Amino acid sequence: MKPNKEPHQKTPATARTIRRACSRELYRTIKKLKVWIPPEQVSRAEEIYYHKVMAHLLWIHENSSKRKVLADWWEQNVCPEIASLWNVDAGTLSRAFRESFGG
C-alpha cells in the first residue's frame, strides 16, 4: 500500500533537476536577449543562479506555482549579478527572463 500523501502536493526537487532547470531558464533568456554570451560566462551565471536557488529552496518550493512571484524574486536577487557578469542592462535581462520564464 502506498503511503498517504496529500493530493496535488509537489515533492521537493533534487539538486540535479534544480541545476538543469537553472541552465534551461538561462539558455532561454539568452535566446530572448539575442546576444552572444561566452560559454565561460554562461557557466558562471548558472553557478550563481543555482546557488541562489539552493539558498532559498524552501521559499521557492512554497511559491512554485506563482510564476510572477518567482520572476520578481529572480529580478531582485539574481538579475543584478548576472547582468554585471554578462555586461548587459539589468532591465533588458529582466524582460528577457520574464518573457522566457512566463512571469
Side-chain angles (χ1 to χ4, degrees):
M1 188 168 189
K2 292 183 180 178
N4 292 336
K5 289 189 347 184
E6 291 183 33
H8 309 292
Q9 183 180 13
K10 287 187 174 183
T11 59
T14 63
R16 180 174 185 255
T17 57
I18 292 169
R19 187 176 299 277
R20 293 182 76 191
C22 292
S23 175
R24 206 170 28 250
E25 290 164 8
L26 287 179
Y27 172 78
R28 291 177 181 151
T29 302
I30 293 169
K31 295 294 259 184
K32 294 286 183 180
L33 279 176
K34 298 179 181 170
V35 174
W36 185 80
I37 307 291
E40 301 82 30
Q41 290 181 353
V42 173
S43 63
R44 179 68 187 127
E46 287 173 359
E47 285 298 315
I48 291 169
Y49 188 18
Y50 173 74
H51 288 295
K52 296 260 185 182
V53 168
M54 293 304 280
H56 296 91
L57 188 58
L58 184 60
W59 184 86
I60 290 172
H61 179 70
E62 290 171 356
N63 293 291
S64 62
S65 62
K66 302 173 186 169
R67 301 290 261 190
K68 185 175 182 341
V69 172
L70 292 174
D72 291 341
W73 174 85
W74 190 88
E75 186 175 354
Q76 293 171 356
N77 294 295
V78 182
C79 182
E81 283 186 55
I82 294 177
S84 65
L85 177 68
W86 289 354
N87 297 321
V88 296
D89 179 50
T92 305
L93 181 62
S94 177
R95 277 190 300 282
F97 180 79
R98 284 183 184 275
E99 285 178 22
S100 63
F101 186 69

